[in-house]
Amino acid sequence: MEVVKNLVEIISFMCNSEFWRMAMLWTLSLISSYMSLFYQTLFPQESRCYPRCSLKDSTFASPFVDRPICIITGATSGLGAAAAHALAKEGFYVVLVGRSSEFLSQAVSEIKSRNPDAYLKAFKVDLSSFESILEFKHSLEQWLHDSNMHPSVQLLLNNAGILATSRRVTSEGYDQMLATNYIGAFCLTKVLRPLLENSVVPSRVVNVSSFTHRNVCCRHADTETISGKFFMKSKYYPYASIYEYSKLCILLFSYELHRKVGLTKKSQHLSIVAADPGAVKTNIMREIPSFVSTMAYTALKLLGALQSSETGVNAIVDAALAPPDLWDASCGLFEELQEAARRDGNRAARTDEIRDK
């Protein structure tokens, strides 16, 4: 009886147009991304490549910052957990953000087992809730104060995302997938921006995007669409379309924030980067029938396009640690800060000197 039930569920799922949208359009978008990279390899255009600015062998000598603070959303599994482990190894004090206290504890224990020297802090946050985001901001500020740490953040990694297959609405009236994938990242960045700009060294926001955004067309980013009300008009929940739209929104948000920051005095201090890790095997497809998700992963593996979390996270870590012009800094900045701090014992003078850089 259970087999028949599962079979009916699989057939029903595969008869939905959203399934074929994922199966066909997402695969074509992924192939298009790889073809674009291949073309750039054959016909390289003028571009600049940057090595990672590793903090592994450097520490902040400033009395304000003992080590850089990195906040990672969706840090309990997949790319988020892999990024937390990688950036903890790089020397960051990693703040893990997730919806489940149990999974957060497991993630912390897992990272500690692999890196006993890791500096970790976990906060339970529901990114689909404005109230939860504001509570996190206050809790974070209180933790920084109680720990006698500088009230600043050096890196914010907006990684959290879900692929919901059923319609769910948040307490504020938004579609839960849109709220988690985009609106939550938007609000979190907005409330944490003062802490990012208050950093005595260059800070950064990394937004995790997706190749699936290529499939969105002819849709305006108005209030009705952002809230999910536009999609609620459909008889069936258009989960693939909403996921694509949420990823387009996070990409447009990255461009717009980059533009706005560039118009301020903080343009040489705060940078914004969007990173697409490609197709990665995570548990984001947990709401999809297991047979279908296994079939999808198998097909991607045969195409040579499927990565593990440990491999896929490299794109995100590269984005977090690359020192482009907006950082206005080289990998030796932290050593320069150490020397500046030793030269001048005045706390205010040290802050001015660092910011002048």
Side-chain angles (χ1 to χ4, degrees), residues 9 16 67 95 122 228 247 250 298 324 338:
E9 181 186 11
N16 191 302
R67 60 179 53 236
V95 175
K247 289 303 180 179
I250 200 71
T298 301
Q338 291 177 334

Side-chain angles (χ1 to χ4, degrees), residues 5-19:
K5 181 181 178 181
N6 291 336
L7 184 60
V8 171
E9 181 186 11
I10 292 171
I11 294 175
S12 176
F13 185 85
M14 295 181 67
C15 287
N16 191 302
S17 62
E18 293 298 301
F19 164 76

Side-chain angles (χ1 to χ4, degrees), residues 141-260:
E141 291 175 331
Q142 188 63 49
W143 170 66
L144 291 172
H145 179 269
D146 294 343
S147 303
N148 197 29
M149 301 171 71
H150 188 261
S152 64
V153 172
Q154 283 66 51
L155 177 61
L156 171 61
L157 175 52
N158 287 314
N159 162 77
I162 61 172
L163 177 58
T165 58
S166 60
R167 183 177 280 113
R168 297 191 289 270
V169 181
T170 68
S171 58
E172 286 90 0
Y174 293 94
D175 175 84
Q176 189 182 47
M177 181 154 56
L178 263 174
T180 302
N181 295 5
Y182 164 61
I183 301 175
F186 175 90
C187 294
L188 183 64
T189 304
K190 183 176 179 62
V191 300
L192 294 184
R193 184 172 171 180
L195 292 177
L196 288 159
E197 294 182 339
N198 195 43
S199 174
V200 296
V201 294
S203 55
R204 168 165 290 181
V205 176
V206 176
N207 293 322
V208 178
S209 60
S210 168
F211 56 88
T212 58
H213 80 273
R214 299 173 184 268
N215 300 311
V216 180
C217 62
C218 302
R219 189 165 294 147
H220 298 291
D222 52 24
T223 304
E224 184 180 26
T225 311
I226 293 296
S227 66
K229 293 179 180 178
F230 175 87
F231 298 104
M232 292 178 189
K233 298 176 181 178
S234 304
K235 181 179 179 181
Y236 299 103
Y237 184 64
Y239 55 88
S241 300
I242 294 177
Y243 184 85
E244 295 164 3
Y245 190 73
S246 69
K247 289 303 180 179
L248 175 64
C249 286
I250 200 71
L251 189 59
L252 294 177
F253 165 56
S254 302
Y255 287 138
E256 180 62 11
L257 183 58
H258 170 77
R259 184 188 70 82
K260 287 188 174 181

Side-chain angles (χ1 to χ4, degrees), residues 114-125:
R114 299 165 65 185
N115 180 13
D117 297 326
Y119 285 78
L120 307 170
K121 178 67 177 179
F123 288 93
K124 179 182 177 182
V125 185

